[in-house]
């Protein structure tokens, strides 16, 4: 969910902080969006994703099980 128009990035990092995927990196208008993440070359484990839009940043954990 994007509150204000602006540059939006959605990135996935491994537990060591290495960037493993960029899912979104573009200007988007406010609204609801969904993104499909297909982790073909990643192993099972804990990952972090970061959503940034203007001054807003949200960071959450995800668990990948294969």
């Amino acid at each position: 969910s994007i509150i204000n128009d602006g540059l939006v990035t959605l990135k996935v990092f491994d537990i060591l902080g290495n960037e493993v995927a960029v899912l979104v990196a573009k200007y988007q208008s406010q609204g609801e969006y969904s993104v499909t993440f297909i982790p073909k070359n990643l192993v099972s484990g804990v990952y972090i994703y970061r959503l940034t839009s203007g001054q807003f940043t949200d960071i959450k954990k995800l668990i990948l099980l294969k």
Side-chain angles (χ1 to χ4, degrees), residues 35-49:
V35 176
T36 301
F37 177 42
I38 303 172
K40 292 181 182 178
N41 299 323
L42 298 179
V43 297
S44 295
V46 177
Y47 293 86
I48 307 295
Y49 65 91

Side-chain angles (χ1 to χ4, degrees), residues 1-6 8 28-33 51-53:
S1 184
I2 305 300
I3 298 171
N4 296 317
D5 299 356
V8 175
Q28 291 187 310
S29 301
Q30 71 179 30
E32 299 277 329
Y33 295 91
L51 173 66
T52 303
S53 175

Side-chain angles (χ1 to χ4, degrees), residues 7-8 10-12 14 17 19-20 23 28-29 31 33 35-36 40-41 48-49 51 54-55 57 59 61-62 66:
L7 177 63
V8 175
L10 178 56
K11 297 180 179 183
V12 180
D14 65 17
E19 183 180 293
V20 296
L23 305 177
Q28 291 187 310
S29 301
Y33 295 91
V35 176
T36 301
K40 292 181 182 178
N41 299 323
I48 307 295
Y49 65 91
L51 173 66
Q55 300 296 324
T57 299
I59 299 171
K61 207 179 339 180
L62 67 92
K66 287 191 169 186

